[in-house]
Amino acid sequence: MSSQHEGIVVRTHGGHYYVEFDGRVIDCTMRGLMKKDRAASDLVVIGDRVLWEPIDEQTGVVIQVLPRRSTLSRRPPMSRAQRAQVLVANPDLAVVVFSFQMPALSTLMLDRYLVACEAVPLPALLVVNKLDLAESEQDLAAPQLYRDIGYAVHCTNALTGEGLEPLRAALHGKLSIFTGPSGVGKSSLLNALWPHLELEIGEVSEYHAQGTHTTVVARLLQPEPGTYVADTPGMREFELWDIDPEQLDAFFPEMRPYLGDCHFQPCTHTHEPRCAIKDAVERGAIAAVRYASYLRLFG
């Protein structure tokens, strides 16, 4: 057995790369020469298409990572590392999951995810789960805000099944990454969409209203033929990687029509007079909460 095969990495752990090929999962290690490139980025992650050579029926060696079409990355938490943490390779869609309550939706954190997707660029779909906890029209204002910007938004209830069929249709035939804070119900949503997955469900701390990490290792699931879902551990922070503050305005879709209209060029839209972005915020054409996120991210 010496022929090369192409497969997709569905899990990585402790120097082992589990490659799906022909309906089987092969436990692979990495060819030594490839490890020298590790400093630049995560060399092999879930979603990577790789060439591998078999050792026996169950094991093999990864000999090449094929070029990535896209990635979703973040700055490693609590780290000054000079490389990105690649969450998934070759995604078609980022499914950013938040909840109405427990934990409450953080607009700033959501905007971090969306900016990261815009910078790739990678299509983003917003899921706001726990619809049963939406108590007022104000709770529904955030989803509508992002719909008005142009994002696809699905409001769901994993317990009752509300909103799941349109979401399932949106995921069909794609490689999607499910990401978002801990405790918002990502595993519950995946179980509700595809009960045969039987993923472990966590709870939300009553004291901090933060979720526990039920997904410890990122993995690529195939709930139906041709459909892949990257299930990633919940995140309590999502720091942007390699985004120049001077380019940040281009990653807010509602700001793009006004770029170039400011009196001063370039304009940071933070303190300059006669700024088209600030004028649009004052008129209500750009939501104040989104502008506040821009200022925080501009830093």
Side-chain angles (χ1 to χ4, degrees):
M1 298 179 67
S2 60
S3 59
Q4 297 180 3
H5 304 290
E6 180 178 337
I8 184 171
V9 177
V10 296
R11 188 164 65 94
T12 70
H13 184 67
H16 290 257
Y17 306 92
Y18 298 88
V19 179
E20 182 186 87
F21 169 76
D22 195 25
R24 299 178 293 136
V25 175
I26 310 298
D27 182 354
C28 293
T29 55
M30 186 189 304
R31 175 173 285 179
L33 292 176
M34 293 179 62
K35 297 179 181 179
K36 295 182 179 180
D37 298 327
R38 182 178 294 276
S41 178
D42 293 289
L43 189 56
V44 183
V45 300
I46 60 171
D48 267 322
R49 293 280 177 177
V50 299
L51 295 180
W52 64 279
E53 290 180 344
I55 296 175
D56 54 36
E57 290 293 333
Q58 287 82 36
T59 63
V61 178
V62 173
I63 61 173
Q64 182 182 353
V65 180
L66 299 178
R68 294 167 175 168
R69 314 185 266 107
S70 58
T71 60
L72 182 63
S73 305
R74 68 167 179 171
R75 183 181 299 277
M78 305 296 292
S79 170
R80 296 183 180 180
Q82 297 303 307
R83 64 179 178 86
Q85 178 187 14
V86 181
L87 301 176
V88 64
N90 302 312
D92 300 304
L93 180 69
V95 181
V96 186
V97 185
F98 279 73
S99 55
F100 283 98
Q101 299 292 338
M102 297 183 64
L105 191 153
S106 166
T107 304
L108 175 61
M109 189 171 186
L110 170 54
D111 290 339
R112 287 183 186 274
Y113 282 101
L114 295 179
V115 165
C117 293
E118 293 286 344
V120 174
L122 175 66
L125 182 153
L126 173 60
V127 174
V128 191
N129 193 32
K130 305 184 184 181
L131 185 56
D132 54 313
L133 300 183
E135 298 175 348
S136 65
E137 292 185 4
Q138 184 176 357
D139 288 335
L140 299 174
Q144 188 58 49
L145 164 64
Y146 289 94
R147 286 194 185 97
D148 293 342
I149 293 170
Y151 289 105
V153 181
H154 294 253
C155 296
T156 62
N157 186 334
L159 297 179
T160 66
E162 187 173 358
L164 294 186
E165 287 306 318
L167 177 58
R168 183 185 290 107
L171 303 179
H172 180 73
K174 297 182 176 66
L175 193 163
S176 304
I177 175 173
F178 261 57
T179 189
S182 304
V184 296
K186 295 187 295 296
S187 297
S188 295
L189 274 173
L190 290 171
N191 281 340
L193 288 164
W194 296 288
H196 64 276
L197 293 177
E198 298 182 342
L199 303 179
E200 182 181 353
I201 306 298
E203 298 179 351
V204 175
S205 162
E206 293 183 4
Y207 183 76
H208 293 289
Q210 294 178 333
T212 57
H213 296 279
T214 53
T215 301
V216 178
V217 177
R219 53 199 167 170
L220 192 62
L221 309 171
Q222 189 179 20
E224 58 186 63
T227 299
Y228 289 92
V229 177
D231 183 24
T232 61
M235 301 178 192
R236 294 199 174 104
E237 59 182 75
F238 188 94
E239 295 294 332
L240 300 176
W241 171 261
D242 197 27
I243 292 180
D244 186 344
E246 303 295 332
Q247 300 175 327
L248 184 61
D249 52 10
F251 305 138
F252 282 73
E254 67 271 43
M255 293 186 180
R256 292 173 191 155
Y258 304 99
L259 301 183
D261 293 343
C262 301
H263 179 73
F264 293 97
Q265 296 291 336
C267 182
T268 67
H269 321 303
T270 59
H271 64 279
E272 299 90 342
R274 300 168 65 182
C275 168
I277 297 297
K278 292 196 297 182
D279 289 346
V281 175
E282 291 179 3
R283 297 195 312 270
I286 295 175
V289 67
R290 285 275 286 174
Y291 180 63
S293 289
Y294 171 85
L295 293 178
R296 289 283 299 277
L297 296 177
F298 190 89

